[in-house]
Amino acid sequence: MIAPEKRGIITPEERLACVLARLILDPAAPPARHIAVGAASPIPAAACWLVRTLGHDVRLSLLHKRTGNPFTEGSRELFDLAGQGRIDLFFLGGGQIDGAGNINLIGTGEWPGRTTRFPGSFGSAFMYTVVPRTILFREEHSRRVLVPRVDHVSAAGSPQALVTGRCVFRFASRFTLASLHPGESATSVRDNTGFAYESPPEVPTTPEPSEQELQLLRGPVRVEMLETYPGFCRRVWGEN
Amino acid sequence: MIAPEKRGIITPEERLACVLARLILDPAAPPARHIAVGAASPIPAAACWLVRTLGHDVRLSLLHKRTGNPFTEGSRELFDLAGQGRIDLFFLGGGQIDGAGNINLIGTGEWPGRTTRFPGSFGSAFMYTVVPRTILFREEHSRRVLVPRVDHVSAAGSPQALVTGRCVFRFASRFTLASLHPGESATSVRDNTGFAYESPPEVPTTPEPSEQELQLLRGPVRVEMLETYPGFCRRVWGEN
Amino acid sequence: MTQSVLSLDDLAAGVPDGALLALPPDNSLPPSALVRALVRRGVRGLRLLGVPVSGMVTDLLIGAGCVASVQSSAVSLGEAGTAPRFTAALAAGSIEMIDATCPAIHTMLQAAEKGVPFMPLRGVLGSDLLAHRPDWRVIDNPFDHDDPILLLPALSPDVAAFHAVLADAHGNVWVGRRRELATLAHAAKRTLVTVERIVADSLLDDERMAPGTIAATYIEAIAVVEHGAWPIALLDEYEADSAHIAEYARLARSDAGFRAYLDSHVFARSAAAAE
Amino acid sequence: MTQSVLSLDDLAAGVPDGALLALPPDNSLPPSALVRALVRRGVRGLRLLGVPVSGMVTDLLIGAGCVASVQSSAVSLGEAGTAPRFTAALAAGSIEMIDATCPAIHTMLQAAEKGVPFMPLRGVLGSDLLAHRPDWRVIDNPFDHDDPILLLPALSPDVAAFHAVLADAHGNVWVGRRRELATLAHAAKRTLVTVERIVADSLLDDERMAPGTIAATYIEAIAVVEHGAWPIALLDEYEADSAHIAEYARLARSDAGFRAYLDSHVFARSAAAAE
């Protein structure tokens, strides 16, 4: 199943999926019985499928699943579900993310993004405040993305955490560095982060995926993901 | 098709259907391109089908049509349609109707109808004001029904007309007697009407159905009505 | 599936005394068998909500002494005439009637579906309903001048119950074009459903079935009850048993007649065993 | 039927210059062939509405100079990346962008569907969107204290257009579970639809097809265009032509590339004749 040259090598995508899965299962957070995942979010989707295949009873609504799409009230149903309090956890990204947890999906420069235009706010302005738990996720960890103050606030909220390609931040009125991915250091994160955050004297390393997690990711999770994210599956787990 | 003993005899239901059809087609009123008809309204439904079979391009929404029901957004769709301005004409009745055009579907005596309870207001409180044209229709024409002032106002509005088993009233801030059905007189109407109304010196007789109207009612209209109003069809037009 | 498939009696046990219970009328998949099971259980103090009007099962619950109040836009047996137990209970003052108008009930449920505290509705302003609905409010339209408009509060039933045609193994249920039941399930805190049968294949995988399907997310529990809408019609599955409804309408005119109906069609061992 | 079955060009003629034109995004049956016909016709000054976001056909119309403004919650080619002509037009200042957020667009259409002047929505209050939407208004919830809530005005598009799977001889059209298109058709003043094919039997007579059907009441005119969503996917009928979309995304990065794309796939006699 897995291309031989990849066997044994843990990809960044696999690591991030496991990080997100552990945050989903965080016993200190309110339970995530129903999670919604957007179209362009294969890693959060993999994390959710991992949680499911680990045996947890969590309902997943994949927004762009082509077959078996659970929404029969049209595309407003996700937002109505959230308004009803039936979505416990959502993932958001941002062209810019700042230290107050604000995200910017509008763009940089003069409104509405005359310097660099991002796609737009999607449902973030609603979901971020209405859904109890939000995990911010952005692979690119740079001063371009993680800024002192976003140029425009698409949505404001209090995330559970911010997961990047370099580290995990937890949030409680401001960000605190929680763990460093393998190969990163307090300095590499500091150098690439535009906003101020708390950094404890000792920052643990993000735990690597367990053998069980890897097997699930490369087996049943991959199978579930194939229809919705074929390109992602090919890139991370090779052909067939 | 028509039971021999009924052939040639014009029933009150047929007469009333023709009266309503002419009111629907009233050239002085805004055009009725889309008419909605409630469940317990076989005579208004017959009138609408008569208008259709006469060749007029009118859309009918029969609220309780079991097959081919046009509402695919559930039972709120009728009201949304009306709110959109897409319903031109609706029929309403009333346990009581007063001279101001108010209808009472709640009941008599202390609220909510401790003396005699009627079924309830249905959608009347909305439809009467939102739909441009309303025709009030009640076969029973008595002082019990046509009262000086309804005990409770289910809905207030300005009807195009009030059609009863005895006559046709037109409405413009108050009712005016417009025509008397065969067998009725100014006196018989006066004696049986509890509210005040205008009565011109000469009141015409309600025209009888034409031969064409009768043939349409007893032929294609009856066929259209059979599924939704089998009891009515049997009563008015006999078996088979 | 996270939904439980229960016996009818266990499903009925899920409706607590005093619950705000939403029920569709006779043209929209009422849970007749479940209501008979509720009567057998002796549920008390129900606050019924007609969506948006009420039919035979509401009359039955009232007659059996299960009901404290009814909020509805009308209570009627349709072609079979007035609802006799409802009328008798109102005359006796033994239930509270909270009158509404159809689009207001739809709107209150839609507000709950959307998770907003209120939603506006045109019309209604000339009706005496307003004076008897202190929970309804007229404001000036903030987008215009001299334009009073009615605001209706969100209404979230404790329990919604209806009889769907079928469910799949995942707990999704199919109601055809009776989509007011989807709005109801979205708005309600808990939704209990009886179905004619359960199919293996996911209703959501079939583009032709999905649009008439309410996703399992909204469904708490299901019981399989063949002819569970009887004597009411069920879409294109079966027609109404008009003779039976007429018999009910006749018997329910008197207390004694209604008792006889209950004995024959609700409490009798044969009746209960059939469900 | 009162709906007309038109040629694609005659259907395109029904979209006047300057119209507020609502279009669904790439996962919800965009009228790709109709949009190409609009480009060929040279429509100008369109005010586009994304329901609730915008995809490839919006980028195409912008690139072809047909668009004055876009109201949407996002403009993107999905997996194929950013919308290049949209981005270029914004940088050049040649179109106006009116940013929204998905549930706000749904809510504005629902208000129009219901015929009410506004509808509330939770959330949004911390977003800079508000400062740029003078048509949106925050009020104190009249049912509570210290509870600011957003009110959104009804929005009724001049024209809604989408590509449905099929229509019947009565003008009813079937969109499967893409029911946001029903809300859109209810809210719009006029709805123009392309379909893959027309079937004889009424969709409303079939309980399995009816729930995914938009009744003819709401449909002004229909054109039959096979593969009318191409290169976008159409439910379970056909998949997206990802290679073509990627080619578009690549070509549309430059003015010259976009012109070449138009010449090959929109204006070329073979392209036009295929539609």
Side-chain angles (χ1 to χ4, degrees), chain C residues 71-97:
Chain C
Q71 177 171 181
S72 194
S73 307
V75 185
S76 149
L77 299 185
E79 299 291 308
T82 56
R85 291 295 94 198
F86 163 71
T87 308
L90 265 195
S94 60
I95 61 167
E96 184 193 3
M97 180 66 199

Side-chain angles (χ1 to χ4, degrees), chain C residues 8-23 34 37-39 41-48 61 65-69 157-161 189-192 220:
Chain C
L8 180 60
D9 285 344
D10 286 346
L11 195 73
V15 182
D17 287 359
L20 177 60
L21 172 64
L23 294 170
L34 177 63
L38 284 171
V39 170
R41 201 199 98 196
V43 67
R44 286 294 175 269
L46 292 177
R47 294 169 295 133
L48 299 185
L61 283 166
C66 308
V67 176
S69 68
D158 296 327
V159 182
K189 298 184 182 76
R190 301 167 52 221
T191 295
L192 307 178
E220 181 171 300

Side-chain angles (χ1 to χ4, degrees), chain D residues 77-208:
Chain D
L77 300 184
E79 299 290 308
T82 56
R85 291 294 95 198
F86 164 71
T87 308
L90 265 195
S94 61
I95 60 167
E96 184 193 4
M97 180 65 200
I98 302 159
D99 274 284
T101 185
C102 301
I105 287 180
H106 290 304
T107 298
M108 291 188 289
L109 292 172
Q110 283 185 279
E113 178 184 50
K114 254 193 135 45
V116 292
F118 60 85
M119 213 179 256
L121 181 68
R122 282 293 185 197
V124 188
L125 299 187
S127 169
D128 285 349
L129 288 172
L130 273 183
H132 299 272
R133 294 296 308 234
D135 54 332
W136 295 2
R137 207 164 288 229
V138 178
I139 65 158
D140 285 318
N141 171 8
F143 291 85
D144 208 339
H145 297 290
D146 298 327
D147 183 27
I149 188 165
L150 179 60
L151 295 190
L152 299 161
L155 180 60
S156 181
D158 296 327
V159 182
F162 49 86
H163 180 70
V165 177
L166 47 84
D168 66 20
H170 307 279
N172 305 302
V173 304
W174 189 81
V175 296
R177 80 188 83 188
R178 301 315 319 199
R179 296 190 51 79
E180 62 269 35
L181 299 178
T183 306
L184 174 58
H186 301 168
K189 298 184 182 78
R190 302 167 51 221
T191 295
L192 308 178
V193 179
T194 55
V195 298
E196 293 288 313
R197 56 189 177 275
I198 292 184
V199 298
D201 290 342
S202 170
L203 291 163
L204 296 175
D205 283 349
D206 181 344
E207 196 66 42
R208 273 139 197 86

